Coordinates of all heavy atoms in Angstrom, one line a residue:
M1256 N 0.8 -1.2 0.0 CA 0.0 0.0 0.0 C 0.9 1.2 0.0 O 1.9 1.3 0.7 CB -0.9 0.0 1.2 CG -1.9 1.1 1.2 SD -3.0 1.2 2.7 CE -3.4 -0.4 3.1
G1257 N 0.6 2.2 -0.8 CA 1.3 3.5 -0.9 C 0.4 4.5 -1.5 O -0.7 4.3 -1.7
D1258 N 1.0 5.7 -1.6 CA 0.2 6.9 -2.1 C 0.8 7.2 -3.4 O 2.0 7.1 -3.7 CB 0.4 8.0 -1.1 CG -0.3 7.8 0.2 OD1 -1.1 6.9 0.3 OD2 -0.1 8.6 1.1
S1259 N -0.1 7.8 -4.3 CA 0.3 8.3 -5.6 C 1.1 9.6 -5.4 O 1.3 10.1 -4.4 CB -0.9 8.6 -6.4 OG -1.6 9.7 -5.9
E1260 N 1.7 10.0 -6.5 CA 2.3 11.3 -6.6 C 1.2 12.4 -6.3 O 0.0 12.2 -6.6 CB 3.0 11.6 -7.9 CG 4.1 10.7 -8.2 CD 5.3 10.9 -7.3 OE1 5.6 12.0 -7.0 OE2 5.9 9.9 -6.9
K1261 N 1.6 13.6 -5.8 CA 0.7 14.7 -5.6 C 0.1 15.1 -7.0 O 0.9 15.2 -8.0 CB 1.4 15.8 -5.0 CG 0.5 16.9 -4.5 CD 1.2 18.1 -3.9 CE 2.0 17.7 -2.6 NZ 2.6 18.9 -2.0
C1262 N -1.2 15.3 -7.1 CA -1.8 15.7 -8.3 C -3.0 16.7 -8.0 O -3.4 16.8 -6.9 CB -2.3 14.5 -9.1 SG -3.3 13.3 -8.2
G1263 N -3.4 17.3 -9.1 CA -4.4 18.4 -8.9 C -5.8 17.8 -9.0 O -6.1 16.8 -9.7
L1264 N -6.8 18.4 -8.3 CA -8.2 18.1 -8.4 C -8.8 19.4 -8.9 O -8.7 20.4 -8.2 CB -8.8 17.7 -7.1 CG -10.3 17.4 -7.0 CD1 -10.6 16.3 -7.9 CD2 -10.7 17.2 -5.6
H1265 N -9.5 19.4 -10.1 CA -10.1 20.6 -10.6 C -11.6 20.5 -10.6 O -12.2 19.4 -10.7 CB -9.6 20.7 -12.1 CG -8.2 20.9 -12.3 ND1 -7.2 19.9 -12.2 CD2 -7.5 22.1 -12.5 CE1 -6.0 20.5 -12.3 NE2 -6.1 21.8 -12.6
I1266 N -12.2 21.6 -10.4 CA -13.7 21.8 -10.5 C -14.0 22.3 -11.9 O -13.4 23.3 -12.3 CB -14.2 22.7 -9.4 CG1 -13.9 22.2 -8.0 CG2 -15.7 22.9 -9.6 CD1 -14.6 20.9 -7.7
D1267 N -14.8 21.6 -12.6 CA -15.1 22.0 -14.0 C -16.4 22.8 -14.0 O -17.5 22.3 -14.0 CB -15.4 20.7 -14.8 CG -15.5 21.0 -16.3 OD1 -15.1 22.2 -16.7 OD2 -16.0 20.2 -17.0
E1268 N -16.2 24.1 -13.9 CA -17.3 25.1 -13.9 C -17.2 25.9 -15.2 O -16.8 25.4 -16.2 CB -17.2 26.0 -12.7 CG -17.4 25.3 -11.4 CD -17.3 26.2 -10.2 OE1 -16.6 27.2 -10.2 OE2 -18.0 25.9 -9.2
N1269 N -17.6 27.2 -15.2 CA -17.5 28.0 -16.4 C -16.0 28.0 -16.8 O -15.7 27.9 -18.0 CB -18.0 29.4 -16.1 CG -19.5 29.4 -15.9 OD1 -20.2 28.5 -16.3 ND2 -20.0 30.4 -15.1
L1270 N -15.1 28.3 -15.9 CA -13.7 28.2 -16.2 C -13.1 27.2 -15.2 O -13.0 27.4 -14.0 CB -13.1 29.6 -15.9 CG -13.5 30.7 -16.8 CD1 -12.9 32.0 -16.3 CD2 -12.9 30.4 -18.2
P1271 N -12.7 26.0 -15.7 CA -12.1 25.0 -14.8 C -10.9 25.6 -14.0 O -10.1 26.3 -14.6 CB -11.6 23.9 -15.8 CG -12.4 24.1 -17.0 CD -12.7 25.6 -17.1
H1272 N -10.9 25.3 -12.8 CA -9.8 25.8 -12.0 C -9.3 24.7 -10.9 O -10.1 23.9 -10.5 CB -10.1 27.1 -11.3 CG -11.2 27.0 -10.3 ND1 -12.6 27.0 -10.7 CD2 -11.2 27.0 -9.0 CE1 -13.3 26.9 -9.6 NE2 -12.5 26.9 -8.5
L1273 N -8.1 24.9 -10.5 CA -7.5 24.0 -9.5 C -8.1 24.3 -8.1 O -8.1 25.4 -7.7 CB -6.0 24.2 -9.5 CG -5.2 23.3 -8.5 CD1 -5.3 21.9 -8.9 CD2 -3.7 23.8 -8.6
V1274 N -8.5 23.3 -7.5 CA -9.1 23.5 -6.1 C -8.2 23.0 -5.0 O -7.9 23.7 -4.1 CB -10.5 22.7 -6.0 CG1 -11.1 22.8 -4.7 CG2 -11.4 23.3 -7.1
V1275 N -7.6 21.8 -5.2 CA -6.7 21.2 -4.2 C -5.7 20.4 -4.9 O -5.8 19.9 -6.0 CB -7.4 20.3 -3.1 CG1 -8.5 21.1 -2.4 CG2 -8.0 19.1 -3.8
L1276 N -4.6 20.2 -4.2 CA -3.6 19.2 -4.6 C -3.8 18.0 -3.6 O -4.0 18.2 -2.4 CB -2.1 19.8 -4.4 CG -1.8 20.9 -5.3 CD1 -0.4 21.4 -5.0 CD2 -1.9 20.5 -6.8
R1277 N -3.8 16.8 -4.2 CA -4.2 15.7 -3.4 C -3.4 14.4 -3.8 O -2.7 14.5 -4.8 CB -5.7 15.4 -3.5 CG -6.3 15.3 -4.9 CD -6.2 14.0 -5.5 NE -7.0 13.9 -6.8 CZ -6.7 13.1 -7.7 NH1 -5.7 12.2 -7.5 NH2 -7.4 13.0 -8.8
R1278 N -3.5 13.4 -3.1 CA -2.9 12.1 -3.4 C -3.9 11.0 -3.3 O -4.8 11.0 -2.4 CB -1.8 11.7 -2.4 CG -0.6 12.6 -2.4 CD 0.5 12.2 -1.4 NE 1.5 13.2 -1.2 CZ 2.6 13.3 -1.9 NH1 2.9 12.5 -2.9 NH2 3.5 14.3 -1.7
V1279 N -3.8 10.0 -4.2 CA -4.7 8.9 -4.1 C -4.0 7.9 -3.2 O -2.8 7.6 -3.3 CB -4.9 8.2 -5.5 CG1 -5.7 6.9 -5.4 CG2 -5.6 9.2 -6.5
C1280 N -4.8 7.4 -2.2 CA -4.3 6.4 -1.3 C -4.4 5.0 -1.9 O -5.5 4.4 -1.9 CB -5.0 6.5 0.0 SG -5.0 8.1 0.8
E1281 N -3.3 4.5 -2.5 CA -3.3 3.3 -3.2 C -3.6 2.1 -2.2 O -3.0 2.1 -1.1 CB -1.9 3.1 -3.9 CG -1.5 4.2 -4.8 CD -2.3 4.2 -6.1 OE1 -3.0 3.2 -6.4 OE2 -2.3 5.2 -6.8
G1282 N -4.4 1.2 -2.6 CA -4.6 0.0 -1.8 C -5.7 0.1 -0.8 O -6.0 -0.8 -0.1
S1283 N -6.3 1.3 -0.6 CA -7.3 1.5 0.4 C -8.6 0.9 -0.1 O -9.0 1.1 -1.3 CB -7.5 3.0 0.7 OG -6.3 3.5 1.3
S1284 N -9.3 0.2 0.8 CA -10.6 -0.4 0.4 C -11.8 0.1 1.2 O -12.9 -0.2 0.9 CB -10.5 -1.9 0.4 OG -10.2 -2.3 1.7
V1285 N -11.5 0.9 2.3 CA -12.5 1.4 3.1 C -12.2 2.9 3.5 O -11.1 3.3 3.5 CB -12.7 0.6 4.4 CG1 -13.2 -0.8 4.1 CG2 -11.5 0.6 5.2
V1286 N -13.3 3.7 3.7 CA -13.2 5.0 4.2 C -14.2 5.1 5.4 O -15.4 4.9 5.2 CB -13.5 6.1 3.1 CG1 -13.5 7.5 3.7 CG2 -12.4 6.0 2.0
H1287 N -13.7 5.5 6.5 CA -14.6 5.5 7.7 C -15.4 4.3 7.9 O -16.6 4.3 8.2 CB -15.5 6.8 7.6 CG -14.8 8.1 7.5 ND1 -14.1 8.6 8.6 CD2 -14.6 8.9 6.5 CE1 -13.6 9.8 8.2 NE2 -13.9 9.9 6.9
N1288 N -14.7 3.1 7.8 CA -15.3 1.8 7.9 C -16.4 1.4 6.9 O -17.1 0.5 7.1 CB -15.9 1.6 9.3 CG -14.8 1.7 10.4 OD1 -13.7 1.2 10.2 ND2 -15.0 2.4 11.5
I1289 N -16.5 2.2 5.8 CA -17.4 1.9 4.7 C -16.6 1.5 3.5 O -15.7 2.2 3.1 CB -18.3 3.2 4.4 CG1 -19.1 3.6 5.6 CG2 -19.2 2.9 3.2 CD1 -19.8 4.9 5.4
P1290 N -16.9 0.3 3.0 CA -16.2 -0.2 1.8 C -16.4 0.7 0.6 O -17.4 1.2 0.4 CB -16.9 -1.6 1.5 CG -17.6 -2.0 2.8 CD -18.0 -0.7 3.5
L1291 N -15.3 0.8 -0.1 CA -15.3 1.6 -1.4 C -15.8 0.8 -2.5 O -15.6 -0.4 -2.6 CB -13.9 2.1 -1.7 CG -13.3 3.1 -0.8 CD1 -11.8 3.3 -1.2 CD2 -14.0 4.4 -0.8
G1292 N -16.6 1.4 -3.4 CA -17.1 0.7 -4.6 C -16.0 0.6 -5.6 O -14.9 1.1 -5.5
N1293 N -16.2 -0.2 -6.7 CA -15.2 -0.4 -7.7 C -14.7 0.8 -8.4 O -13.6 0.9 -8.9 CB -15.7 -1.4 -8.7 CG -15.9 -2.8 -8.1 OD1 -15.2 -3.2 -7.2 ND2 -16.8 -3.6 -8.7
D1294 N -15.6 1.9 -8.4 CA -15.2 3.1 -9.1 C -14.9 4.2 -8.2 O -14.9 5.4 -8.5 CB -16.4 3.5 -10.1 CG -17.7 3.8 -9.3 OD1 -17.8 3.3 -8.1 OD2 -18.6 4.4 -9.8
Q1295 N -14.5 3.9 -6.9 CA -14.2 4.9 -5.9 C -12.8 4.7 -5.4 O -12.2 3.6 -5.4 CB -15.1 4.8 -4.7 CG -16.6 5.0 -5.1 CD -17.5 4.8 -3.9 OE1 -17.3 3.8 -3.1 NE2 -18.5 5.6 -3.8
V1296 N -12.1 5.8 -5.0 CA -10.8 5.8 -4.4 C -10.8 6.7 -3.2 O -11.6 7.6 -3.1 CB -9.7 6.2 -5.4 CG1 -9.6 5.3 -6.6 CG2 -10.0 7.7 -5.9
K1297 N -9.9 6.4 -2.3 CA -9.6 7.3 -1.1 C -8.6 8.3 -1.5 O -7.5 7.9 -2.1 CB -9.2 6.4 0.0 CG -8.9 7.2 1.3 CD -8.5 6.3 2.4 CE -8.2 7.1 3.7 NZ -7.8 6.2 4.8
V1298 N -8.8 9.5 -1.2 CA -7.8 10.6 -1.5 C -7.5 11.3 -0.2 O -8.3 11.4 0.7 CB -8.2 11.6 -2.6 CG1 -8.4 10.9 -3.9 CG2 -9.4 12.3 -2.1
S1299 N -6.3 11.9 -0.1 CA -5.9 12.8 1.0 C -5.6 14.2 0.4 O -4.9 14.3 -0.6 CB -4.7 12.2 1.8 OG -3.6 12.2 1.0
V1300 N -6.1 15.2 1.0 CA -5.8 16.6 0.5 C -4.5 17.0 1.1 O -4.3 16.9 2.3 CB -7.0 17.5 1.0 CG1 -6.6 18.9 0.6 CG2 -8.3 17.1 0.3
E1301 N -3.6 17.5 0.2 CA -2.3 18.0 0.6 C -2.3 19.5 0.8 O -1.7 20.0 1.7 CB -1.3 17.5 -0.5 CG -1.2 16.0 -0.6 CD -0.4 15.4 0.5 OE1 0.6 16.0 0.9 OE2 -0.8 14.3 1.0
E1302 N -2.9 20.2 -0.2 CA -2.8 21.7 -0.2 C -4.1 22.2 -0.8 O -4.5 21.8 -1.9 CB -1.7 22.2 -1.0 CG -0.3 21.9 -0.5 CD 0.8 22.4 -1.5 OE1 0.6 23.5 -2.0 OE2 1.7 21.7 -1.7
V1303 N -4.8 23.1 -0.1 CA -6.0 23.7 -0.6 C -5.6 24.9 -1.4 O -4.8 25.7 -0.9 CB -7.0 24.1 0.6 CG1 -8.2 24.9 0.0 CG2 -7.4 22.9 1.4
Q1304 N -6.1 25.0 -2.6 CA -5.7 26.1 -3.6 C -6.8 27.1 -3.6 O -6.6 28.3 -3.9 CB -5.4 25.5 -4.9 CG -4.3 24.5 -5.0 CD -3.0 25.1 -4.7 OE1 -2.6 26.1 -5.3 NE2 -2.3 24.5 -3.7
D1305 N -8.1 26.7 -3.4 CA -9.2 27.6 -3.5 C -10.1 27.4 -2.3 O -11.0 26.4 -2.3 CB -10.0 27.4 -4.8 CG -11.1 28.4 -5.0 OD1 -11.5 29.1 -4.0 OD2 -11.7 28.4 -6.1
V1306 N -10.0 28.1 -1.2 CA -10.8 27.9 0.0 C -12.2 28.2 -0.2 O -13.1 27.8 0.6 CB -10.2 28.7 1.2 CG1 -8.8 28.3 1.5 CG2 -10.3 30.2 0.9
D1307 N -12.6 28.9 -1.2 CA -14.0 29.3 -1.5 C -14.7 28.4 -2.4 O -15.9 28.5 -2.8 CB -14.1 30.7 -2.0 CG -13.6 31.7 -1.0 OD1 -13.9 31.5 0.3 OD2 -13.0 32.7 -1.4
A1308 N -14.0 27.3 -2.9 CA -14.6 26.4 -3.9 C -15.8 25.6 -3.3 O -15.7 25.3 -2.1 CB -13.6 25.4 -4.4
R1309 N -16.8 25.3 -4.0 CA -17.9 24.6 -3.5 C -17.9 23.2 -4.2 O -17.5 23.0 -5.3 CB -19.2 25.3 -3.9 CG -19.4 26.7 -3.4 CD -19.7 26.7 -1.9 NE -19.8 28.0 -1.5 CZ -19.5 28.4 -0.2 NH1 -19.0 27.5 0.6 NH2 -19.6 29.6 0.1
I1310 N -18.3 22.2 -3.4 CA -18.5 20.9 -3.9 C -19.6 20.9 -4.9 O -20.7 21.3 -4.5 CB -18.7 19.8 -2.8 CG1 -17.5 19.9 -1.8 CG2 -18.9 18.5 -3.3 CD1 -17.8 19.2 -0.5
P1311 N -19.4 20.4 -6.2 CA -20.5 20.5 -7.2 C -21.7 19.8 -6.8 O -22.8 20.2 -7.1 CB -19.9 20.0 -8.4 CG -18.4 19.7 -8.2 CD -18.2 19.9 -6.7
V1312 N -21.6 18.6 -6.2 CA -22.7 17.8 -5.7 C -22.5 17.5 -4.3 O -22.0 16.5 -3.9 CB -22.8 16.5 -6.6 CG1 -24.1 15.7 -6.1 CG2 -22.8 16.8 -8.0
P1313 N -22.8 18.4 -3.4 CA -22.6 18.2 -1.9 C -23.4 17.0 -1.4 O -24.5 16.8 -1.7 CB -23.0 19.5 -1.3 CG -23.8 20.3 -2.3 CD -23.5 19.7 -3.6
I1314 N -22.7 16.2 -0.6 CA -23.3 15.1 0.0 C -22.9 15.1 1.5 O -21.9 15.7 1.9 CB -22.9 13.8 -0.6 CG1 -21.4 13.6 -0.6 CG2 -23.5 13.7 -2.0 CD1 -21.0 12.2 -1.1
Q1315 N -23.7 14.5 2.3 CA -23.5 14.5 3.7 C -22.1 13.8 4.1 O -21.5 14.2 5.1 CB -24.6 13.7 4.4 CG -24.5 13.8 6.0 CD -25.7 13.1 6.6 OE1 -26.6 12.6 5.9 NE2 -25.8 13.2 7.9
E1316 N -21.6 12.9 3.3 CA -20.4 12.1 3.7 C -19.2 13.0 3.5 O -18.1 12.6 4.0 CB -20.3 10.9 2.8 CG -21.3 9.8 3.2 CD -22.7 10.0 2.7 OE1 -22.8 10.8 1.8 OE2 -23.6 9.3 3.1
V1317 N -19.2 14.1 2.7 CA -18.1 14.9 2.5 C -17.9 15.8 3.7 O -18.8 16.6 4.0 CB -18.2 15.7 1.2 CG1 -17.0 16.7 1.1 CG2 -18.3 14.8 0.0
Q1318 N -16.8 15.8 4.4 CA -16.6 16.6 5.6 C -15.2 17.2 5.5 O -14.3 16.7 4.9 CB -16.6 15.7 6.8 CG -17.8 14.9 7.0 CD -17.6 13.9 8.2 OE1 -16.8 14.2 9.1 NE2 -18.3 12.8 8.2
L1319 N -15.1 18.4 6.1 CA -13.9 19.1 6.2 C -13.3 18.7 7.5 O -13.9 18.9 8.6 CB -14.0 20.6 6.1 CG -12.8 21.5 6.3 CD1 -11.8 21.1 5.2 CD2 -13.1 22.9 6.3
V1320 N -12.1 18.1 7.5 CA -11.4 17.7 8.7 C -10.2 18.6 8.9 O -9.3 18.7 8.0 CB -11.0 16.2 8.7 CG1 -10.2 15.9 9.9 CG2 -12.2 15.3 8.4
E1321 N -10.1 19.4 9.9 CA -9.0 20.3 10.2 C -8.0 19.7 11.2 O -8.4 19.0 12.0 CB -9.5 21.6 10.6 CG -10.3 22.3 9.5 CD -10.7 23.7 9.9 OE1 -10.0 24.4 10.5 OE2 -11.8 24.0 9.5

């Protein structure tokens, strides 16, 4: 198990822009004791680039952890 190289996560709005730099947690199969689906990955946020960005489809499971 390891982490990917740091990469960007962009929000595709009117003008796509960089929101955070993040890493994919390779080999992870659960997040908060919930199994990941085949099309899901666990990521860790390394650097926030746009603190005012909004999640395009907000869901209860997305949380800001400081």
Side-chain angles (χ1 to χ4, degrees):
M1256 187 183 321
D1258 293 345
S1259 70
E1260 295 293 319
K1261 191 183 293 187
C1262 51
L1264 176 65
H1265 294 78
I1266 297 294
D1267 188 18
E1268 295 179 333
N1269 294 335
L1270 294 172
H1272 64 281
L1273 179 64
V1274 177
V1275 299
L1276 295 176
R1277 49 91 171 154
R1278 293 181 195 268
V1279 174
C1280 301
E1281 304 288 344
S1283 295
S1284 60
V1285 297
V1286 174
H1287 301 288
N1288 297 318
I1289 298 173
L1291 294 172
N1293 291 333
D1294 61 343
Q1295 297 175 322
V1296 295
K1297 179 179 179 180
V1298 297
S1299 63
V1300 172
E1301 298 284 318
E1302 296 176 39
V1303 176
Q1304 302 292 308
D1305 182 352
V1306 296
D1307 296 321
R1309 302 283 181 215
I1310 299 168
V1312 183
I1314 57 173
Q1315 186 175 3
E1316 288 81 11
V1317 175
Q1318 301 174 27
L1319 176 61
V1320 179
E1321 295 183 38

